[in-house]
Structure formats: structure tokens, C-alpha cells
Amino acid sequence: MSKLKSFDVLLMETVNDLNEEVSTLSILESLYSQTGKRISIGFLLKSLLKLWNQGFLDSEKAEGNIIRQGRRKRIFVVTAYGNKSLKQISS
């Protein structure tokens, strides 16, 4: 199992806690409300991509809508492997 940094753990816990369509924007807003720190979109996307490549997260594109001018947003979810890793860390 890859070693997870504290931000990676916080990020996966945030995705789990949101329990809805977890988009990049909703993750940013939740992290800000939890930490009081602004995180750049670039740093967040790099972190999400790293966790996806390691198998901790999965993602899919949601349907587009009028507000987004038909563009689809990426939705994230913690995988079974990611949840298992979180449980091991917290025990």
C-alpha cells in the first residue's frame, strides 16, 4: 500500500463525508470550511489525480446542464481500496 500523507487522508475523508455528487468545487469548499485555508485548484487536481492513479479514488463525468453550458463535471468517490486504507490508518 502506498504511504498516504495527511492531506491525502483529509482529502479522502472529505470525499467520503460529502455523500453527494462530489465535484472539485464541493471538495474545495469543504476543505476551506474544515481548515480555514484556501487550497489552489491546481494543487487539489494534482492531489486528486495522484489518489486516482494509486487506486484510492475513482471518478466519472456527470451529465452536463444548462448552468454549465452542457459541460460535464467530474465526480469523485473513494474506492473500496481507499476505504480499507482509511480504516487501517484510523485503527
Side-chain angles (χ1 to χ4, degrees):
M1 173 172 54
S2 300
K3 184 165 169 80
L4 290 169
K5 297 180 181 178
S6 59
F7 181 75
D8 297 332
V9 173
L10 176 63
L11 186 51
M12 289 196 309
E13 288 173 342
T14 299
V15 170
N16 263 344
D17 291 345
L18 286 172
N19 280 342
E20 56 188 55
E21 286 193 346
V22 183
S23 67
T24 307
L25 182 59
S26 63
I27 295 169
L28 274 176
E29 291 170 347
S30 181
L31 288 172
Y32 178 71
S33 70
Q34 291 178 61
T35 65
K37 297 180 182 179
R38 298 232 182 257
I39 297 162
S40 75
I41 189 80
F43 179 76
L44 178 61
L45 289 172
K46 183 177 177 182
S47 299
L48 290 167
L49 180 61
K50 179 184 77 167
L51 291 170
W52 179 78
N53 284 330
Q54 292 174 340
F56 294 111
L57 293 179
D58 198 5
S59 71
E60 62 183 41
K61 291 247 182 161
E63 291 300 314
N65 61 34
I66 277 208
I67 295 170
R68 294 180 51 82
Q69 298 173 345
R71 294 185 320 256
R72 296 166 49 175
K73 64 181 173 181
R74 185 153 299 277
I75 303 300
F76 294 93
V77 64
V78 178
T79 62
Y81 175 64
N83 280 315
K84 180 180 173 186
S85 300
L86 285 173
K87 285 180 184 163
Q88 288 177 346
I89 289 169
S90 60
S91 59

